[in-house]
Amino acid sequence: MLGKKKNRPFVSVVVVAAGNASRMDGIDKQLVEIDGMPVVIRSILAFEHSNKVDEIIVVTKKESIPELNRQVREFFANKVKFIVAGGRTRQESVFCGVNCIDDRCKYIAIHDGARPLVLTGAIDACIEDAMVYGAALLGVKVKDTIKAIDKERFVEKTIDRENLFIAQTPQIFEISLYKQAMQQADENGTDFTDDCQLVESIGHKVYVSHGHYNNIKITTPDDISYAQALLEQMEDGI
């Protein structure tokens, strides 16, 4: 077992929790509790419990750092190495985290702190896929019928959903590939809201690993009660 651990690649995780909560009516969605545990802590612990993850960097708002430090200690998130302030955009915040990772890192996993129900098993599978393809993300097939509309809100066409997937996180990349994409984005002055899009911009394909529909992103106050209900179902094995 010890030899196996030594031989596997070093995996760093950046948990992004620096959003401005513009759709949360002033509620800090990262620190709000679901079943007695803050959202961002639930996200962190999913990676804490993975045998494939070596370190976690958390990026948050500067004013949230003291409270998050306290919570990390309270919930024994021992793989958290740094909690740092983010930037003006999501991309800048991710880069702040990437700049703090260990020099031994071979793969970087980037996760939205507002996705507290991600499963450790799905994380592990996504890491394995990233090791094969260089880049991978969790995703689920679109269930609903998708319509493209014109400026007057009339339907122009119905889009075939067979090959449509909803992108989730984590999104995981070979570190040299990701840093190459970071450098190009910096040189071109481009700013992406999705890390796969960043890597796609340098021509690299990203593999879609099997996600799960419970891996929701908390965006509005209604999502908090929905996440609570999903968590209860997961705990009951429904």
Side-chain angles (χ1 to χ4, degrees):
M1 289 296 290
L2 290 176
K4 194 172 184 180
K5 184 176 181 181
K6 286 182 180 178
N7 291 333
R8 69 166 176 77
F10 192 101
V11 176
S12 301
V13 178
V14 173
V15 175
V16 189
N20 58 19
S22 58
R23 289 173 285 182
M24 286 292 294
D25 297 336
I27 302 171
D28 189 337
K29 62 184 176 182
Q30 311 293 348
L31 300 181
V32 70
E33 292 189 355
I34 296 176
D35 197 24
M37 185 181 294
V39 164
V40 68
I41 294 296
R42 284 194 178 277
S43 299
I44 290 169
L45 290 181
F47 293 88
E48 177 77 23
H49 297 151
S50 170
N51 293 327
K52 299 180 183 297
V53 168
D54 296 283
E55 68 169 358
I56 301 169
I57 314 298
V58 185
V59 185
T60 190
K61 293 178 290 187
K62 185 177 180 179
E63 60 269 26
S64 298
I65 291 176
E67 175 61 16
L68 195 48
N69 263 308
R70 186 193 66 78
Q71 292 177 355
V72 162
R73 292 193 301 271
E74 178 184 350
F75 290 96
F76 303 102
N78 299 318
K79 290 181 181 178
V80 174
K81 302 305 180 188
F82 298 104
I83 301 175
V84 299
R88 293 178 297 107
T89 67
R90 184 187 186 281
Q91 179 172 286
E92 285 186 8
S93 293
V94 173
F95 290 2
C96 288
V98 173
N99 288 333
C100 294
I101 63 175
D102 194 289
D103 291 339
R104 294 170 292 173
C105 175
K106 298 299 181 184
Y107 291 87
I108 182 77
I110 300 162
H111 184 66
D112 292 324
R115 290 187 185 272
L117 302 185
V118 65
L119 299 175
T120 299
I123 292 169
D124 289 347
C126 195
I127 290 172
E128 291 176 1
D129 286 335
M131 290 178 181
V132 174
Y133 301 105
L137 81 154
L138 291 185
V140 291
K141 289 192 72 170
V142 170
K143 292 181 177 181
D144 297 325
T145 300
I146 305 298
K147 302 287 187 180
I149 64 173
D150 60 22
K151 292 180 179 179
E152 284 73 40
R153 299 182 66 86
F154 288 100
V155 173
E156 286 189 331
K157 63 178 179 179
T158 300
I159 300 173
D160 183 1
R161 67 186 178 198
E162 180 61 28
N163 295 317
L164 292 181
F165 276 70
I166 298 170
Q168 300 178 336
T169 65
Q171 300 182 355
I172 305 173
F173 312 93
E174 197 276 322
I175 190 60
S176 62
L177 175 70
Y178 192 81
K179 286 187 173 180
Q180 179 187 346
M182 282 176 62
Q183 181 178 349
Q184 180 172 294
D186 186 57
E187 292 172 352
N188 295 342
T190 50
D191 188 274
F192 298 101
T193 58
D194 178 83
D195 295 286
C196 286
Q197 191 179 12
L198 173 73
V199 170
E200 290 163 23
S201 72
I202 62 171
H204 197 284
K205 290 186 176 181
V206 181
Y207 183 81
V208 180
S209 297
H210 291 287
H212 55 101
Y213 289 100
N214 287 358
N215 185 18
I216 64 167
K217 184 176 182 181
I218 293 179
T219 306
T220 67
D222 288 342
D223 295 329
I224 297 170
S225 56
Y226 181 42
Q228 178 70 49
L230 288 175
L231 179 63
E232 291 172 1
Q233 290 179 7
M234 292 165 69
E235 291 175 344
D236 291 340
I238 298 176

